[in-house]
Amino acid sequence: VITNHRGIQFQKSEYESPPYGLGCLVKIFRFVCGLVNPNYQPVTGANPADPYSTIAIGNSIAETTRHLGLRLVNTIIETRGSYVANCSQLFEIVREDLCK
């Protein structure tokens, strides 16, 4: 049992986040990098499983969404850049999706 500064007690399992693993991180990072990809042309309404279709205007991703993607990528690289560089799957996304 852990007590915070307000006297509220927590069991250890209540405040620990569950492990999601590298697979989830790769999908999220690929999505974020896809937001800034100027070559990505989503087809709105054609595939409801396409995660980009909800953020598209016409045949391109909205400019504000690209700015958000750039800020997210910047935050990820600033906070965990060494982890991204050391993880081959994440580094491959940077090299192939983000830098082209």
Side-chain angles (χ1 to χ4, degrees), residues 23-34 76:
C24 181
L25 184 59
V26 167
K27 286 181 182 180
I28 291 171
F29 194 58
R30 182 169 285 129
F31 174 77
V32 170
C33 289
I76 291 168

Side-chain angles (χ1 to χ4, degrees), residues 7-76:
I8 299 172
Q9 294 183 343
F10 295 92
Q11 296 292 332
K12 189 173 183 179
S13 63
E14 290 179 2
Y15 65 89
E16 283 185 341
S17 57
Y20 291 105
L22 183 60
C24 181
L25 184 59
V26 167
K27 286 181 182 180
I28 291 171
F29 194 58
R30 182 169 285 129
F31 174 77
V32 170
C33 289
L35 292 176
V36 300
N37 184 352
N39 297 319
Y40 185 79
Q41 297 292 317
V43 179
T44 57
N47 183 2
D50 185 358
Y52 298 106
S53 64
T54 59
I55 55 173
I57 296 175
N59 284 334
S60 64
I61 294 175
E63 183 178 343
T64 54
T65 304
R66 288 197 197 282
H67 286 247
L68 172 64
L70 284 170
R71 287 193 304 265
L72 291 172
V73 167
N74 187 48
T75 301
I76 291 168

